[in-house]
Amino acid sequence: MANALEVNSVKSRQRFSWLSDRMLMNIFLWPTLLMLLIITLFPLIWSLYLSFTDYSVNAYPSWLDARWVGSANYNFLLTSKEFWSRFQLSAQFVIPTVALEFFLGFGIALLFNRMTKGRGFITTLIMIPMMLTPIVVALFWRFMLQADIGVVNYFIRDVFGGPTISWLSDRKWAMISLVIVDAWQWTPFIMLISLAGLSAVPKYLYEAADVDRASGWFKFWNITLPLVSPLLLIGILFRLMDTYKLFELAWVLTGGGPGDFTKVLPLYLYRMAFGEFATGKASAVGYIMLIVIIALSNLLIRVLNQTKSEPGK
Amino acid sequence: MSKKMLWITFSLLVVFSLVLTACGQQQTPAAEQPAAEQPAEQPAATNPPAEQPAVVKPELSITWFAWPPCDALAQLVQDYPDATVKVNCVPYAQWHDSIFTDFAAKGGVDVPIMDSQWTGEAVKGGHVLDMSEFIKNETAMDDFVPLALKAYGEYPADSGVYYGVPIMADVQEMAINKKIFAEYGIDPNSLKTWDDLLKAAQTIKADGKYDGFVWFWIGSGDQIQTAYNQLAWSWGGELWDSSTYKFQGVANSPENVAALEYASELYKTGPEGAGNFSYGEVSDAMCNGKAAMTSIWVGVMSGWTDPKNCAAAADLVFAVPPAGPKAHVLSLGGMGISVSAYTKNQDAAFAFLKWLESNETQTKWVTMGGYSALNSVLASDAFKNTAPFNPVFAEAYPLVKDFYNLPEYYALMTKQGEYLNLAVTGQMTPQEALDKLAEEQQAIIDQAYPGGPPK
């Protein structure tokens, strides 16, 4: 039996002797690479070209009719007050949201890290918001934040005697509402990443610190934080990218209102691309957004590399 | 060719065949092939069934937004014998984008139902077919409410060239909760002017038990715009000068400012935080008996007469919205139906529209919750007896007026919605909001027509 198998194996080897490892690699690699080229690189280059034209996918019979306008779209955007105010608005959303998610997520992870019983169960429960579709989250929060009949105001006003807050229609509160809802959904993500980082910190470091009678703060600052920070930075990087391109929550919760006080960049881009069908300008907005996010990511990746190269600092 | 090259070529072929498969049109089963690909003349049904070729119907698709008339239309088209018609009821916020994305892809929907302001945009892009001859020869053209025919499909204005035919006439009507009115000793019939209405709404709101007037104040779509426009027109204002393409001095005229000031007072009589209210929230407020009145499209009110859907159904009475100090004008609602320039079933689409616009089908349509623009149907008992708000419809519809039907309408309307919303909710003064609106709308138009209005 063993001999028969061996003979078969030898035969197979002889039959496929021409199939080298390198060739096998090519067989698996090329289709994937080509697919990537078609579905990722081509649209990227194509939209870059369109961003230098006055093309409107809706108004022009063909892309051949588009006129080359050079940097006019970029000039228009970079000198447009509205475009910059959309940028500011996006920053007003991204910075507090990521900060809130970071502090809450990391804080909860620190607490959970000390738990011994039921940690897995509670972690699973806390992760539920993250598993929901953003549209669904936005729809039920829209009901909950309704000023008149929403459950949030019911507690604030009827239970605690506070004022009625127009969460979604008052410009002071609309952005805060978006921050709260996004933080509700995505804090568990930071918590999960932090928990993974905290679990990986070697216990002997704490034991050594205990021998030296180090304070809790000392242990946190000099052991926990440096060792968890690479993972935390990755979490922050993901959240930065995600919040920067927030669309669903703003679309459903406020529709960009009141007025245009929550019309963040992706909403501005969407309306330009699919409302006005100004494809050329919308491509330029997309590219500016892409450049900003690449710059931000690079910055964080540098910090991440620095942290990795100086462990335990 | 070396074996390495052979394998690379093979891989490329696999990828290309995958891409082609993904991009290619789905093969429909034989029974669903378009009529054009089948023998044109089928013998009469005398052959035994086994030998008879399958009866083939062309497929047509309609895109509209999700609301009760869309469901009614989906029901109605089941009766059409000569094609399989699929009605896509997309969310309201995606309605425009869904149709125009199909246009951009030069495919998709065969017979889109478009809002009246979109005609210019669709015509400019060459996305819809000229229906002038069809309307003249295949429909009861003289029976249409003239304004409806012009508003739902004519482009440019007064050109006599039509790109759409009315499918859904619509206008706002007042819905009044008579029980709440009775509690405060107010006669629902006393609301002759918008001032009467405001006083009644303030009286009801004063003790906080009920909301006086609820409206769709949200700035997106065309919601707050169609609410405010009828006020501006009734105050004697205009949105723009269509002959000179001027917004400055028109959109921010004293009449418009007064109308917007009125709107912001009216807003205060509604539920708190109603600045993001859309049709759904207005329906809830009226049907749960918390709000005393609203002015809303009849198409939205379809479910309001059924106590199962609307707790306050028995208490609601309907009326024509009141007049303003200078005029009695209402916003035009409703839509026209067009034929996509990219449909592969052009003949079938026109044949379907001929059936849809026939008096018989329109009469059935109004009994199912639709609204016809045919005078004879609007005057029929079948229409008047279908819903308690239908007799009011015939009175209100002649008062309608539409707003800018320009290819740039989307940008103009978006700006209008944003500033009106801020002014009504008290986050900007009406004067400041309309000044900024006029300035920004003028900039949009100046950029689109640097040489002035098209000749």
Side-chain angles (χ1 to χ4, degrees):
Chain A
M1 183 73 182
N3 278 345
L5 280 174
E6 217 166 278
V7 170
N8 276 342
S9 166
V10 170
K11 276 184 181 171
S12 301
R13 238 180 285 149
Q14 279 169 348
R15 197 185 305 155
F16 292 104
S17 59
W18 51 270
L19 190 60
S20 65
D21 283 354
R22 189 166 185 80
M23 192 179 291
L24 207 59
M25 181 196 80
N26 282 332
I27 290 168
F28 286 112
L29 191 67
W30 277 103
T32 317
L33 263 180
L34 216 72
M35 209 56 145
L36 273 176
L37 283 176
I38 292 168
I39 63 175
T40 311
L41 203 64
F42 171 71
L44 207 66
I45 294 167
W46 184 239
S47 58
L48 179 64
Y49 162 72
L50 291 180
S51 74
F52 291 102
T53 70
D54 69 345
Y55 185 54
S56 163
V57 72
N58 193 29
Y60 288 4
S62 152
W63 62 271
L64 292 167
D65 298 312
R67 278 186 309 130
W68 179 266
V69 293
S71 61
N73 288 334
Y74 291 94
N75 291 346
F76 169 81
L77 289 168
L78 296 173
T79 54
S80 153
K81 254 166 72 178
E82 168 148 31
F83 180 69
W84 286 112
S85 69
R86 298 304 123 216
F87 247 114
Q88 281 174 0
L89 215 58
S90 279
Q92 282 170 25
F93 169 72
V94 171
I95 296 166
T97 305
V98 176
L100 187 65
E101 285 168 9
F102 168 75
F103 285 114
L104 282 177
F106 189 46
I108 296 170
L110 282 173
L111 288 176
F112 276 26
N113 196 39
R114 294 172 175 215
M115 277 178 77
T116 47
K117 277 185 183 173
R119 192 170 103 174
F121 178 69
I122 295 174
T123 308
T124 311
L125 273 186
I126 283 186
M127 274 164 53
I128 287 174
M130 207 171 85
M131 300 170 191
L132 298 174
T133 312
I135 290 283
V136 175
V137 170
L139 280 171
F140 71 68
W141 271 98
R142 189 181 158 108
F143 282 115
M144 296 207 300
L145 292 174
Q146 203 60 262
D148 199 34
I149 53 168
V151 69
V152 176
N153 269 359
Y154 166 76
F155 279 104
I156 294 173
R157 181 186 54 214
D158 300 341
V159 177
F160 298 110
T164 297
I165 298 171
S166 299
W167 290 99
L168 303 173
S169 57
D170 186 329
R171 67 189 194 188
K172 292 197 295 285
W173 291 102
M175 187 58 87
I176 294 173
S177 305
L178 291 185
V179 172
I180 291 171
V181 177
D182 195 85
W184 177 83
Q185 188 174 19
W186 291 107
T187 295
F189 173 74
I190 297 283
M191 186 208 81
L192 200 67
I193 292 241
S194 309
L195 213 50
L198 288 170
S199 311
V201 178
K203 284 211 167 58
Y204 66 83
L205 291 176
Y206 293 116
E207 286 161 5
D210 285 338
V211 171
D212 290 342
R213 293 187 177 183
S215 67
W217 175 250
F218 182 90
K219 282 188 276 183
F220 173 76
W221 193 248
N222 292 291
I223 301 172
T224 310
L225 204 55
L227 289 174
V228 178
S229 56
L231 267 177
L232 276 179
L233 280 171
I234 289 169
I236 290 170
L237 183 66
F238 277 125
R239 289 310 304 141
L240 263 180
M241 288 195 285
D242 222 27
T243 47
Y244 183 62
K245 57 186 173 66
L246 169 107
F247 179 80
E248 302 95 328
L249 284 186
W251 183 250
V252 176
L253 277 174
T254 61
D260 60 355
F261 279 89
T262 55
K263 196 161 101 182
V264 285
L265 264 175
L267 243 65
Y268 175 72
L269 170 61
Y270 173 79
R271 287 196 170 147
M272 193 174 263
F274 299 104
E276 298 170 34
F277 282 95
T279 316
K281 267 187 208 155
S283 303
V285 174
Y287 260 91
I288 296 173
M289 283 180 71
L290 184 71
I291 290 165
V292 170
I293 201 68
I294 287 174
L296 268 175
S297 308
N298 266 328
L299 206 71
L300 271 172
I301 289 167
R302 274 184 190 206
V303 178
L304 183 65
N305 288 339
Q306 216 172 1
T307 332
K308 274 169 95 189
S309 62
E310 299 166 9
K313 182 192 160 189
Chain B
M1 190 185 280
S2 71
K3 278 185 179 171
K4 185 178 170 183
M5 280 308 291
L6 195 75
W7 275 100
I8 290 174
T9 313
F10 172 72
S11 308
L12 292 178
L13 277 173
V14 168
V15 170
F16 279 122
S17 58
L18 279 174
V19 170
L20 286 174
T21 311
C23 300
Q25 200 167 9
Q26 196 182 349
Q27 185 67 42
T28 48
E32 293 171 10
Q33 288 291 324
E37 294 172 21
Q38 299 298 320
E41 285 178 23
Q42 296 291 333
T46 50
N47 293 337
E51 293 170 23
Q52 189 184 22
V55 176
V56 173
K57 286 183 181 180
E59 286 184 0
L60 293 172
S61 63
I62 297 177
T63 299
W64 204 0
F65 69 93
W67 68 327
C70 189
D71 299 330
L73 183 67
Q75 198 70 29
L76 178 75
V77 299
Q78 303 286 320
D79 294 346
Y80 183 58
D82 299 330
T84 306
V85 186
K86 190 183 167 209
V87 180
N88 300 310
C89 303
V90 300
Y92 177 75
Q94 273 87 58
W95 176 34
H96 168 274
D97 309 344
S98 168
I99 290 174
F100 281 83
T101 307
D102 278 357
F103 286 162
K106 306 208 179 330
V109 63
D110 300 293
V111 269
I113 296 181
M114 301 195 296
D115 221 346
S116 52
Q117 307 96 43
W118 306 353
T119 315
E121 186 186 5
V123 173
K124 194 180 170 190
H127 305 309
V128 285
L129 297 177
D130 185 342
M131 299 174 74
S132 311
E133 285 304 309
F134 166 78
I135 291 173
K136 273 178 209 155
N137 301 327
E138 307 287 353
T139 67
M141 190 178 179
D142 297 336
D143 195 17
F144 280 116
V145 174
L147 185 91
L149 194 58
K150 290 173 88 61
Y152 300 142
E154 191 184 45
Y155 187 83
D158 303 322
S159 62
V161 183
Y162 300 98
Y163 293 90
V165 59
I167 173 66
M168 173 81 189
D170 206 356
V171 66
Q172 288 186 34
E173 280 185 27
M174 289 289 304
I176 299 167
N177 187 315
K178 63 181 181 197
K179 198 171 144 192
I180 299 177
F181 267 57
E183 218 174 293
Y184 291 85
I186 305 168
D187 177 8
N189 295 317
S190 66
L191 308 181
K192 302 291 179 206
T193 67
W194 283 104
D195 276 336
D196 296 337
L197 186 147
L198 178 63
K199 276 177 204 150
Q202 285 170 332
T203 307
I204 292 165
K205 179 74 179 177
D207 64 6
K209 189 175 170 190
Y210 298 107
D211 293 307
F213 188 88
V214 59
W215 223 352
F216 31 90
W217 300 110
I218 192 163
S220 55
D222 65 357
Q223 301 192 54
I224 194 172
Q225 298 88 330
T226 52
Y228 158 81
N229 290 350
Q230 60 188 26
L231 294 178
W233 290 321
S234 296
W235 257 252
E238 278 297 340
L239 306 181
W240 66 309
D241 184 333
S242 57
S243 57
T244 59
Y245 280 37
K246 286 287 167 212
F247 284 81
Q248 284 280 21
V250 183
N252 54 346
S253 68
E255 291 83 5
N256 287 18
V257 174
L260 193 51
E261 279 166 354
Y262 173 88
S264 58
E265 286 305 311
L266 195 58
Y267 172 79
K268 291 175 194 162
T269 72
E272 281 188 81
N276 70 329
F277 270 33
S278 182
Y279 305 128
E281 284 84 4
V282 173
S283 286
D284 292 344
M286 287 303 296
C287 284
N288 66 24
K290 182 82 176 28
M293 55 184 153
T294 185
S295 162
I296 199 162
W297 307 108
V298 286
V300 178
M301 289 196 287
S302 306
W304 293 17
T305 51
D306 182 358
K308 281 184 205 155
N309 297 330
C310 184
D315 302 322
L316 297 180
V317 291
F318 306 94
V320 177
K326 300 265 177 70
H328 195 182
V329 185
L330 304 177
S331 283
L332 174 90
M335 305 90 201
I337 188 164
S338 306
V339 177
S340 166
Y342 314 109
T343 178
K344 293 185 177 87
N345 294 313
Q346 212 180 100
D347 293 341
F350 278 110
F352 166 70
L353 289 185
K354 186 181 174 184
W355 171 84
L356 187 64
E357 294 297 331
S358 68
N359 197 289
E360 193 188 343
T361 312
Q362 288 289 298
T363 305
K364 185 163 188 201
W365 171 228
V366 296
T367 60
M368 296 173 79
Y371 283 81
S372 175
L374 290 175
N375 277 313
S376 57
V377 175
L378 292 178
S380 68
D381 287 340
F383 171 66
K384 286 180 182 163
N385 297 333
T386 299
F389 35 80
N390 283 6
V392 180
F393 184 91
E395 255 184 275
Y397 199 61
L399 303 173
V400 294
K401 184 171 174 173
D402 200 9
F403 64 131
Y404 19 74
N405 185 355
L406 287 171
E408 295 72 29
Y409 88 94
Y410 189 90
L412 296 170
M413 203 175 71
T414 304
K415 285 284 162 217
Q416 196 192 15
E418 287 170 2
Y419 282 114
L420 293 179
N421 180 265
L422 285 176
V424 162
T425 54
Q427 299 176 76
M428 199 178 247
T429 67
Q431 183 72 60
E432 193 187 349
L434 289 182
D435 284 346
K436 288 206 165 197
L437 173 65
E439 185 188 325
E440 292 188 20
Q441 286 188 322
Q442 191 66 61
I444 292 168
I445 285 297
D446 288 348
Q447 200 194 355
Y449 304 95
K455 300 284 181 286

